[in-house]
Amino acid sequence: MNGKVAALAVVAATAFMLGGCSSAQPDAPASTEPLSSPATTMDGTPTAEAPQDAVVYTPPPLPSSPEAYAVAPGVSPAAIKACAALDVAAEVYAAIGKSTLSADSTTGHSAGGLLCSFTTDGHAPGTPNFLALSTSKKPTYSYEMLAKDSQPGWVRQDISGLGDAARFYESGPTGEQASHMLYSRKGTQLVSVLAKFTSVPATADLSVHRYGAIVTKAYSSK
């Protein structure tokens, strides 16, 4: 990762951060097919319908003694404040253990949202061990830009119980490596979790449910 992240939209940031670490990544072709209209109740409230063969998100327990993340030099005060407001420290700790909010975190990317990037403690320079949480104010456009089907080397899975719609992409884990992307759309929000590990921490839990807990907390913190 590098400073270019600050100038990219959520979808472009996904390709940049994961593409810089792996040659196998989902393409993000634009789609002219509109999102299907969700079913509604009598009062017009959308109902939550699980996609066929979808994984149902199950909230996992948090660790009994979660630790706060550190903050690296160079993180802007605005990003520090905005990321803290999401209140996801316990959820991030449960997923990857001790971590540091990196200088790639920004409130200025072009999708009009927030990017909070966490690196695992002790990772070597140039080793792409990170988990990034991103929020966007353009959910329909950004979500439709995502590939609808699995790409070579990646497996796609629909997830129910995370907003109005959610998709999970996985390349790995193979041995000690893992590359994951989770996108969730809810009303006027798009939240994504991106993870790339060349050396997965021994205590890490990189399951879709752990990522889902981070997404859920980001929604509830708005």
Side-chain angles (χ1 to χ4, degrees), residues 13-212:
T14 302
F16 176 82
M17 289 190 291
L18 292 180
C21 306
S22 171
S23 60
Q25 65 174 16
D27 297 324
S31 172
T32 57
E33 178 182 344
L35 289 170
S36 58
S37 300
T40 58
T41 61
M42 292 295 290
D43 63 359
T45 303
T47 59
E49 291 190 1
Q52 187 175 4
D53 300 325
V55 169
V56 178
Y57 164 65
T58 303
L62 288 176
S64 57
S65 301
E67 296 186 30
Y69 55 79
V71 178
V75 184
S76 73
I80 293 173
K81 182 178 179 179
C83 292
L86 293 179
D87 193 26
V88 295
E91 287 72 20
V92 170
Y93 179 80
I96 65 174
K98 295 178 64 176
S99 63
T100 300
L101 184 70
S102 79
D104 288 309
S105 304
T106 178
T107 59
H109 69 69
S110 60
L114 171 67
L115 176 67
C116 304
S117 182
F118 304 91
T119 57
T120 55
D121 281 10
H123 81 292
T127 301
N129 279 7
F130 72 90
L131 182 152
L133 170 64
S134 181
T135 66
S136 172
K137 298 177 182 178
K138 301 177 181 179
T140 301
Y141 170 78
S142 297
Y143 196 80
E144 278 299 287
M145 285 289 289
L146 304 178
K148 290 180 175 294
D149 300 310
S150 297
Q151 301 298 308
W154 290 78
V155 177
R156 171 191 156 185
Q157 179 67 62
D158 290 326
I159 310 297
S160 66
L162 284 176
D164 300 326
R167 293 170 180 166
F168 177 66
Y169 295 87
E170 178 178 23
S171 177
T174 56
E176 294 185 344
Q177 300 186 20
S179 299
H180 299 144
M181 300 185 288
L182 174 63
Y183 300 94
S184 177
R185 178 179 59 83
K186 182 179 181 181
T188 59
Q189 296 175 265
L190 176 71
V191 176
S192 63
V193 175
L194 320 173
K196 177 70 179 182
F197 291 86
T198 56
S199 180
V200 177
T203 59
D205 179 357
L206 303 182
S207 68
V208 67
H209 303 290
R210 283 294 179 198
Y211 295 140

